[in-house]
Amino acid sequence: MAELLPWAFSRYVTEEEFAYISMDTVKENFRNGFGFDQDSFDMNQSMHPFHGSLYFNAARSNGYSYWESGAFTMFGSLAWEFFMENTQPALNDLVNTTLGGMSRGEMAHRIGGMLRDNRARGSERFWRGLGGAIVDPMGAFNRLVHGEMSGSYPNPDERFPSRFNVVGDLGYRHISNQAESPNQAVISVSAAYGDPFAGEIRKPFDSFWLEADIASAGSGITRIEGRGILRGWELGDHTGRLRHILGVFQEYEYFNNESQVFAAQIFSAGLLSRYQVGTNLHVGTDVTAIAFPLAAIQTTDFLNPETGRTYDFAPGGGLRVAGRLYRKEREILRLGYGLAWAHTANGTSSSNTLQFFRASARLPVTGSFGMGAGYSWYSRRTTYSAFHEGTATQSEWRLFASFRL
């Protein structure tokens, strides 16, 4: 279904040229092998991960593990590239569909499981089921096939993590450096599922973090960061005031601002530390090295005649450091810096160096309500073999009201 329905829609409804397939196009795809495509940035970096999550959750909701479902996702992507399109198979699609489908799919699978309740009845059962279907459509389809949409059944043993916090910010931001729309309204959402220091580090995405910024101007969504732990190991005494977890993570990052239009599937490894300052205060730090097999980076404003794109594909890596101060599990202060370097595999540029710095402070006012302010800075330095482009930067200040859900 995850193959046939998208293809049939493209072939018979929208009549997309790529969907006109035959045995001759299949033979040609195998003859040509992998290359890079000319699809839009959002198609490659957003829609392909979503399509991959359908493959992934078709397997995951049938009882397969994270890694087994990942194998189904890779197979689904390969089948699509070689059999369901008449264009050359794209290496970038294989990366984004497989890795993006795994990370996005697992987060959807776990959140969908929290929303659904097999013991609920009536309207509560309906609305919970609808919410789960929106988040995890393939899981809902399999529940329908298996006859689990009604009746009373036991819920999964690991339905809920030790914690699930959602924080929403609503406010104003000012962007400097001659931005086209310097004054904007902004909504930020941050969700934390599970707690590594509660032992949720044994299976992929036992703990994960997801954040997004949505602005009133430009492209709308300006930042998405999703990060799940694949496996962690606690170092030393788990009852001490100072604790450390060595972790391996899988991530998705997307930035769209005046200096950086960047998206990538990422693997990272590093040290999470937690220090209990007092009864109600603790500090969390995060030092990680990152690697991405194929990032998409918008470089020049003109359309490259060879690639047909305004962005380049590039593997690379970097590092990231962050520190946070919490009071009773509520974030009070945050500082973070990241550096990434990418060598272009397909595109106009030779290499890209990307940096960011972010800081924010929050003051609890009453109950779940608070106020806050933040500052962020982004830069991109791109090198070319044929011409020079200056370093692009963006800085912004923001003020916001904060709500903990």
Side-chain angles (χ1 to χ4, degrees):
M1 188 181 81
E3 297 275 9
L4 292 177
L5 286 183
W7 171 80
F9 182 83
S10 299
R11 169 63 177 84
Y12 296 106
V13 179
T14 60
E15 298 184 344
E16 300 285 347
E17 183 178 350
F18 75 83
Y20 287 79
I21 57 176
S22 66
M23 287 304 299
D24 289 335
T25 64
V26 173
K27 292 176 182 178
E28 188 68 16
N29 286 343
F30 276 97
R31 186 179 301 114
N32 291 333
F34 280 107
F36 295 92
D37 67 22
Q38 300 180 357
D39 289 345
S40 69
F41 190 94
D42 288 338
M43 173 62 72
N44 277 329
Q45 305 304 132
S46 180
M47 294 307 297
H48 278 287
F50 172 73
H51 194 183
S53 71
L54 300 181
Y55 297 139
F56 181 90
N57 285 332
R60 194 74 172 92
S61 59
N62 273 303
Y64 290 96
S65 71
Y66 179 82
W67 297 111
E68 291 168 341
S69 300
F72 277 95
T73 308
M74 176 178 285
F75 177 81
S77 179
L78 287 169
W80 179 271
E81 293 298 313
F82 282 94
F83 293 95
M84 309 305 288
E85 294 183 324
N86 61 21
T87 55
Q88 182 181 12
L91 180 62
N92 52 280
D93 287 349
L94 180 64
V95 171
N96 286 317
T97 303
T98 303
L99 299 181
M102 292 171 69
S103 60
R104 181 178 295 192
E106 183 65 16
M107 287 188 281
H109 173 76
R110 289 178 177 262
I111 294 175
M114 285 198 308
L115 291 172
R116 291 186 285 261
D117 186 353
N118 296 330
R119 298 292 192 185
R121 298 178 179 274
S123 62
E124 181 185 358
R125 178 70 170 253
F126 171 80
W127 290 113
R128 283 184 170 275
L130 179 60
I134 293 172
V135 173
D136 177 16
M138 289 304 297
F141 175 79
N142 281 330
R143 284 171 60 83
L144 178 63
V145 171
H146 297 153
E148 297 176 352
M149 299 295 281
S150 61
S152 181
Y153 304 93
N155 286 306
D157 293 336
E158 299 179 347
R159 180 185 173 202
F160 292 115
S162 63
R163 67 165 184 160
F164 181 69
N165 294 329
V166 178
V167 176
D169 298 335
L170 175 61
Y172 158 84
R173 71 174 184 174
H174 175 76
I175 302 174
S176 61
N177 298 358
Q178 299 180 338
E180 184 175 337
S181 300
N183 301 300
Q184 303 176 8
V186 61
I187 298 173
S188 297
V189 179
S190 175
Y193 176 103
D195 181 0
F197 292 95
E200 291 164 312
I201 55 176
R202 302 186 183 281
K203 292 186 295 185
F205 287 73
D206 273 351
S207 299
F208 66 82
W209 306 264
L210 182 63
E211 297 187 349
D213 290 344
I214 304 172
S216 61
S219 63
I221 299 176
T222 62
R223 179 178 69 97
I224 301 174
E225 294 184 85
R227 183 186 187 196
I229 193 163
L230 292 176
R231 186 69 168 87
W233 300 266
E234 179 135 16
L235 309 177
D237 183 9
H238 70 278
T239 63
R241 294 173 65 87
L242 178 61
R243 299 172 62 186
H244 302 287
I245 290 176
L246 178 65
V248 179
F249 308 87
Q250 186 173 346
E251 310 182 27
Y252 171 76
E253 284 193 358
Y254 169 84
F255 297 111
N256 189 341
N257 56 55
E258 298 293 320
S259 66
Q260 295 180 15
V261 180
F262 167 90
Q265 315 299 331
I266 297 173
F267 290 102
S268 60
L271 191 67
L272 304 178
S273 300
R274 175 172 176 158
Y275 179 67
Q276 196 70 35
V277 179
T279 304
N280 296 325
L281 293 176
H282 74 267
V283 174
T285 61
D286 178 353
V287 180
T288 50
I290 67 172
F292 41 89
L294 204 62
I297 307 171
Q298 183 170 297
T299 52
T300 55
D301 290 333
F302 61 83
L303 188 68
N304 186 303
E306 294 183 5
T307 67
R309 302 186 311 265
T310 58
Y311 63 94
D312 299 343
F313 288 118
L319 61 88
R320 181 176 53 226
V321 294
R324 303 185 186 193
L325 174 65
Y326 295 88
R327 182 179 183 273
K328 293 182 177 180
E329 303 302 328
R330 293 186 66 174
E331 181 183 298
I332 304 299
L333 181 66
R334 177 195 298 195
L335 297 170
Y337 170 78
L339 169 67
W341 181 84
H343 178 73
T344 302
N346 180 256
T348 305
S349 64
S350 299
S351 66
N352 284 269
T353 302
L354 308 172
Q355 298 183 76
F356 76 80
F357 171 78
R358 292 197 296 266
S360 63
R362 299 168 183 274
L363 176 65
V365 176
T366 177
S368 60
F369 175 75
M371 301 293 294
Y375 170 79
S376 63
W377 170 85
Y378 298 88
S379 80
R380 173 180 56 85
R381 182 171 62 84
T382 304
T383 62
Y384 305 87
S385 59
F387 63 95
H388 172 75
E389 180 185 38
T391 299
T393 63
Q394 173 188 294
S395 60
E396 75 168 59
W397 293 91
R398 64 173 65 184
L399 298 171
F400 53 85
S402 182
F403 306 87
R404 187 181 182 188
L405 307 180

